[in-house]
Amino acid sequence: MASLLPAAALAQGTKLWSTSRYDEMERSTNQGVAIRGDGRLEPGPLATPVYTSGGNYIWSLAADAKGVAYVGLGGTASGSAAVMRVTPDGKSTKIFSGKEIAVQALRLLPDGGVLVATSPDGKLYRVAPDGAGTPAILFDPAETAEKPKYIWDAVVIGKAVYVAAGAPAAVYRVDLSHGAPVSRLLFKTADQHIRTLLATPDGTLWAGSDGAGVIYKISTTQPDAKPFAIYAAPRREITALAIDPAGVVYAAGVGAKGAPSLPPLPVTGAVGVSITFVQPGSASAAGSNTLIPEGSEIYRIGADGLPSRFAALKDDVVYALGMHDGALLAATGNHGRIYKFDTHGNGAESLTDLVHLEAAQAMALAPVAGGVLVASSNSGKLFRVPDAPAPDAAFTSEVFDAQQFSRWGRPEVRSASPASFDLLVRGGNVPNPIDGWSDWKKVTPNEDSLAASGVPDARYIQWKAVLKPGGSLQGVALNYLPRNVAPVVDDVVVAPGARVAATAATTPNQTVQVTFPAANVAQAIGFVQDAGTQPLSAQKDRTGITIRWSAHDDNGDDLMFAVWYRGEGEQTWRLLKDRITDKFYSFDSVLLPDGVYTAKIVASDAPVHVDADTLTGERASGAFTIDTTPPVPGALVAKLQAGKIHAAFDAKDATSPIAHAEYAIDGGAWQYLEPAGHLSDSLAEHYDFTADLPKPEEKTGDHVIAIRVYDRFENMAAAKAVVHE
């Protein structure tokens, strides 16, 4: 769905921080608040711990009609499997311990006995509800022909127990009607494991496999009935099954097909949650192999046997499914969340993010009177989730960073019942609210500004909604005005002898590459170029000067620039050009007298602020030289001497050193000429040289010698002399 209001995308003026979508709400923390798939907040149940184990993992859970829970442990302090009997008031008693690693499944027998399935290399035991006596072994995989290593699940149908096994995958039937249990192989598959079982009221057995992700259906009331593969899911492992009162079966699938097969273990860590719903009958609902890389999918198999994909949880692994009060519950990791699905709803409206546990994985569910028991891992706890919503449901948003010290305005709230919640806001100038933030301030939605309610101007902000019974909240948006800060000119470079066309433009998201004449490359080195402009090329132009700069504004304001200059030894800056929107300016050097200058760029955010609020930033360039006047050569003195021409002259330049000189005789090729001291590094140089005459057959009589003198800016002066033979 769309946000409460569109988040302000403008770089200046009043902005809006909006929180209204599910993906925005679920990044927050809450206490007894349920988050609907459309982003609506409602009072929800508050999970309270009933029992805390001595280990990190609770693998299985069962509960009787009185609310007494049986908790299957693994990874305890002793390293062995155990079953704890936990009464509704939280008192616990160990009724079973074994040498195996974990109690993978627990079920209650009609006579009150407890079925305990252990893995790996485990057995199926019958344990007295109070732990009295010695546990009876009902099924030992080691005594079968297949010898599976794992027991994953067990269900009771009539006077028989059906056992899901793995490595290899098989289902066994254990008959309890003749005193001593009698087991036989019901069916086996080519998969690695049968991971989960479901017994329906009509005596149908459902099974989900690991490897091919196949869901099987078999009638237990018909002798010699064969299992029917009703659906091959896109995911490799079916982790949980559930059935609703209408006979619709739901299955959770995880893992990409082709991935290595490993026993499913809880995985620590937490990432964001994203949920996608697939409507029955859509192309992807028919079992396509388009996979979400992580997370889970929930499939729906109608009473007529038609499979479809019901929901996809991008980052959550479904460990258990269960029905409660007509809704489908999913216990997940790695966020420790319980999701509720309205099986009659459509899309996001059918989802409720019901409970956030103080544990990483919700492993098992057991409905009891007035609520649901939930077993968790990391850490191993038993929680009670009541049907009634929490009396003090509080939802706390994530911390928002406005990037700048800001003034906070009116809170905009969308709710069907504005009086059904209290809205509180606090702010600070460090990311963590515990480090010197303001106290929570109660604010009036859609009316007064936060500042009027005592919320200080600050960079960071956070809101909290305390929902009253029956209340709801669709979204909250906070208006804010970042404090204007001055723009910053990061760097300025001047390149004499270069010109950029006035039509050159800058374009966002392009890499900068400045090209200047080779003689001026050194002046461009070190330039900090904007990461948001296109390549800019300058053409070599002896009379051109290009100034290039980079600048930024932390408010994101649009900027305009002015170019100023002053001569060496001067105190006053003079304006060369203003109201520039590009970050370069080329001009003709003949506009200024020869000399040494410094340029200054002044950046202003005036395009988006009134005069009183406009701020500027500036930076000066290094010194640069303008020289448009050629050198002045002195008298060229030349004479014949020993059959050669001997010549001498002086050259001066008022602004820049003499760069080089050259000569030619009788219109011949120009020859490089060194000054008397070899180094050409002064404003005045003396030249004294001897040149060969042309060959007699090429030239006789008088000879003409010509010289050209250049300064560093390629200004040139020439002179000539006639030499008589």
Side-chain angles (χ1 to χ4, degrees):
M1 60 166 289
S3 296
L4 176 70
L5 288 174
L10 299 176
Q12 61 279 331
T14 301
K15 299 183 180 182
L16 189 71
W17 170 44
S18 177
T19 308
S20 61
R21 300 193 312 266
Y22 175 84
D23 62 327
E24 296 167 336
M25 294 294 190
E26 56 114 16
R27 293 196 294 265
S28 307
T29 59
N30 72 75
Q31 178 180 345
V33 174
I35 308 172
R36 298 295 300 268
D38 59 2
R40 186 166 72 253
L41 303 179
E42 298 175 345
L46 181 63
T48 57
V50 178
Y51 163 74
T52 299
S53 74
N56 286 330
Y57 302 104
I58 295 180
W59 296 93
S60 51
L61 174 66
D64 64 18
K66 296 180 180 180
V68 175
Y70 298 88
V71 178
L73 305 179
T76 62
S78 62
S80 60
V83 176
M84 303 299 296
R85 182 181 185 272
V86 182
T87 59
D89 60 1
K91 294 180 180 179
S92 61
T93 305
K94 182 182 290 188
I95 65 169
F96 172 85
S97 63
K99 297 180 180 180
E100 298 89 341
I101 292 177
V103 174
Q104 191 63 46
L106 287 171
R107 299 287 182 179
L108 298 184
L109 292 166
D111 62 3
V114 182
L115 283 176
V116 179
T118 60
S119 278
D121 300 316
K123 300 175 179 64
L124 180 67
Y125 300 91
R126 183 193 184 282
V127 179
D130 60 358
T134 301
I137 298 176
L138 302 183
F139 174 67
D140 185 351
E143 296 179 356
T144 66
E146 296 76 22
K147 294 181 173 53
K149 188 175 184 64
Y150 296 95
I151 298 178
W152 293 115
D153 203 358
V155 296
V156 180
I157 301 178
K159 294 184 178 181
V161 177
Y162 294 84
V163 181
V171 175
Y172 297 89
R173 183 181 188 274
V174 182
D175 190 347
L176 303 179
S177 62
H178 302 291
V182 178
S183 62
R184 67 178 178 88
L185 176 67
L186 186 65
F187 72 91
K188 62 180 180 179
T189 76
D191 259 341
Q192 287 89 358
H193 307 273
I194 298 295
R195 277 284 291 112
T196 183
L197 297 175
L198 171 69
T200 64
D202 64 356
T204 300
L205 178 67
W206 295 74
S209 76
D210 173 17
V214 177
I215 300 171
Y216 298 92
K217 178 182 179 182
I218 184 171
S219 172
T220 63
T221 61
Q222 298 178 6
D224 300 324
K226 294 182 179 180
F228 178 65
I230 200 166
Y231 183 49
R235 295 302 183 98
R236 65 164 291 113
E237 180 181 353
I238 304 301
T239 59
L241 294 164
I243 187 169
D244 70 12
V248 176
V249 171
Y250 296 87
V254 304
K257 287 188 174 179
S261 177
L262 294 174
L265 295 175
V267 180
T268 58
V271 287
V273 174
S274 178
I275 297 182
T276 303
F277 289 86
V278 182
Q279 301 299 331
S282 67
S284 59
S288 71
N289 286 323
T290 301
L291 296 179
I292 301 173
E294 301 294 340
S296 305
E297 294 177 340
I298 299 177
Y299 311 105
R300 183 182 188 274
I301 301 175
D304 58 358
L306 177 65
S308 60
R309 193 170 69 174
F310 176 66
L313 286 72
K314 181 179 180 182
D315 298 302
D316 293 85
V317 176
V318 175
Y319 288 107
L321 294 174
M323 298 298 302
H324 183 64
D325 286 344
L328 177 68
L329 300 182
T332 72
N334 297 309
H335 311 276
R337 295 184 179 178
I338 307 297
Y339 295 102
K340 182 175 80 171
F341 297 90
D342 178 1
T343 57
H344 300 290
N346 290 315
E349 294 181 358
S350 70
L351 164 75
T352 301
D353 184 349
L354 191 66
V355 174
H356 293 189
L357 302 179
E358 295 178 356
Q361 286 90 17
M363 298 296 298
L365 300 165
V368 294
V372 177
L373 294 177
V374 180
S376 73
S377 291
N378 287 324
S379 57
K381 296 180 180 180
L382 179 66
F383 295 90
R384 182 183 300 276
V385 179
D387 293 334
D392 298 317
F395 178 92
T396 305
S397 76
E398 65 179 335
V399 172
F400 176 70
D401 181 3
Q403 302 296 323
Q404 296 293 329
F405 189 77
S406 300
R407 182 180 182 184
W408 295 93
R410 184 173 63 93
E412 300 180 25
V413 176
R414 190 168 72 185
S415 173
S417 51
S420 66
F421 62 89
D422 291 330
L423 184 65
L424 300 96
V425 180
R426 64 180 177 180
N429 290 302
V430 292
N432 194 329
I434 68 173
D435 294 332
W437 276 40
S438 71
D439 294 331
W440 287 108
K441 301 293 184 180
K442 185 177 179 179
V443 301
T444 304
N446 304 316
E447 294 186 14
D448 297 334
S449 70
L450 300 185
S453 300
V455 178
D457 293 353
R459 172 173 173 171
Y460 299 93
I461 203 79
Q462 188 177 41
W463 59 266
K464 178 169 68 174
V466 180
L467 302 178
K468 300 176 183 179
S472 68
L473 179 63
Q474 185 65 57
V476 174
L478 302 182
N479 290 276
Y480 66 100
L481 181 64
R483 181 73 60 86
N484 191 28
V485 295
V488 176
V489 181
D490 299 297
D491 205 356
V492 182
V493 168
V494 181
R499 188 185 298 275
V500 177
T503 57
T506 56
T507 304
N509 302 321
Q510 298 290 329
T511 301
V512 173
Q513 180 178 352
V514 179
T515 304
F516 286 121
N520 297 302
V521 167
Q523 300 187 46
I525 292 175
F527 179 62
V528 179
Q529 299 167 12
D530 292 336
T533 55
Q534 69 179 18
L536 180 66
S537 295
Q539 301 298 320
K540 186 175 181 179
D541 184 336
R542 187 178 62 82
T543 64
I545 294 180
T546 292
I547 304 175
R548 176 73 192 265
W549 59 90
S550 63
H552 73 275
D553 186 280
D554 287 338
N555 298 111
D557 291 342
D558 295 333
L559 300 178
M560 66 180 183
F561 306 94
V563 180
W564 297 75
Y565 74 94
R566 70 180 178 189
E568 188 175 46
E570 297 178 357
Q571 300 298 317
T572 303
W573 290 98
R574 295 177 173 82
L575 180 65
L576 184 62
K577 180 69 175 178
D578 64 355
R579 306 188 71 83
I580 301 173
T581 56
D582 292 323
K583 293 181 180 177
F584 67 91
Y585 179 65
S586 293
F587 65 97
D588 200 320
S589 60
V590 298
L591 295 175
L592 302 178
D594 289 359
V596 178
Y597 293 89
T598 301
K600 180 176 71 174
I601 303 299
V602 177
S604 168
D605 57 12
V608 293
H609 292 284
V610 298
D611 290 346
D613 295 333
T614 295
L615 296 175
T616 61
E618 61 184 49
R619 189 182 186 94
S621 72
F624 65 96
T625 301
I626 293 179
D627 186 355
T628 60
T629 304
V632 177
L636 174 60
V637 178
K639 61 182 179 180
L640 286 176
Q641 187 176 20
K644 297 184 178 183
I645 295 177
H646 178 262
F649 68 93
D650 293 317
K652 296 181 179 180
D653 192 281
T655 305
S656 62
I658 303 298
H660 70 278
E662 53 191 10
Y663 73 93
I665 297 176
D666 296 337
W670 290 98
Q671 305 291 320
Y672 178 78
L673 185 59
E674 285 187 342
H678 300 289
L679 287 172
S680 188
D681 58 1
S682 301
L683 296 177
E685 296 288 355
H686 176 69
Y687 295 87
D688 191 318
F689 63 98
T690 299
D692 293 333
L693 291 172
K695 295 179 180 179
E697 61 270 19
E698 295 177 357
K699 179 67 178 177
T700 59
D702 295 341
H703 299 277
V704 177
I705 181 170
I707 60 167
R708 295 193 301 204
V709 182
Y710 296 83
D711 62 20
R712 285 187 178 174
F713 290 86
E714 299 187 11
N715 299 301
M716 185 269 291
K720 67 178 181 179
V722 177
V723 180
H724 302 284
E725 288 193 6

